[in-house]
């Protein structure tokens, strides 16, 4: 790894750790949330249907509504991000981001 890559990697890790701390400042840390933070996280989980299927069925045709399903999946992805940043420890977050970045780079 050359010097530029090393600096970039260190910057990314520092940014990810700062971002993790920022999420925890806003949403609280799992098992340490204030009542307000618990209410907000619960509302986000409900809104995002985090514990339900994101597949949406059209009330008119009775078939899968792909557009509504994609919208629901986008909401779930955001809720997952919040939950992950406030539940996982910093090393787990960095590893998850690394794996995600590798997967994204492979699909480009």
């Amino acid at each position: 790894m050359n010097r530029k890559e090393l600096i970039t990697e260190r910057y990314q890790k520092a940014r990810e750790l700062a971002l993790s701390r920022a999420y925890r400042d806003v949403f609280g840390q799992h098992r340490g949330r204030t009542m307000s933070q618990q209410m907000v996280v619960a509302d986000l989980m409900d809104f995002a249907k985090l514990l339900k299927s994101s597949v949406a069925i059209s009330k008119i045709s009775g078939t899968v509504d792909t557009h509504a399903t994609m919208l629901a999946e986008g909401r779930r992805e955001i809720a997952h991000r919040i939950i992950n940043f406030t539940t996982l420890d910093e090393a787990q977050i960095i590893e998850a981001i690394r794996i995600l970045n590798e997967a994204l780079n492979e699909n480009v």
Side-chain angles (χ1 to χ4, degrees), residues 12-25:
Q12 287 176 337
K13 284 184 181 180
R15 183 183 178 281
E16 290 160 3
L17 290 175
L19 190 56
S20 169
R21 290 181 189 117
Y23 267 86
R24 289 177 182 172
D25 285 348

Side-chain angles (χ1 to χ4, degrees), residues 22-29 33 37 40-41 44 82 86:
Y23 267 86
R24 289 177 182 172
D25 285 348
V26 173
F27 295 103
Q29 188 165 349
R33 293 186 175 108
Q37 289 168 331
V40 168
V41 169
L44 288 170
I82 292 167
T86 60

Side-chain angles (χ1 to χ4, degrees), residues 39-73:
M39 289 173 60
V40 168
V41 169
D43 179 64
L44 288 170
M45 288 178 67
D46 182 57
F47 176 75
K49 296 181 171 108
L50 195 62
L51 303 177
K52 300 175 187 172
S53 174
S54 59
V55 176
I57 304 297
S58 170
K59 293 178 183 176
I60 297 170
S61 69
T63 61
V64 173
D65 181 336
T66 56
H67 294 285
T69 298
M70 288 186 288
L71 175 65
E73 193 56 34

Side-chain angles (χ1 to χ4, degrees), residues 60-94:
I60 297 170
S61 69
T63 61
V64 173
D65 181 336
T66 56
H67 294 285
T69 298
M70 288 186 288
L71 175 65
E73 193 56 34
R75 289 178 179 176
R76 285 177 53 136
E77 188 174 349
I78 291 168
H80 274 287
R81 184 174 178 88
I82 292 167
I83 298 303
N84 287 341
F85 267 110
T86 60
T87 304
L88 302 175
D89 66 36
E90 291 177 352
Q92 291 171 310
I93 291 168
I94 290 172

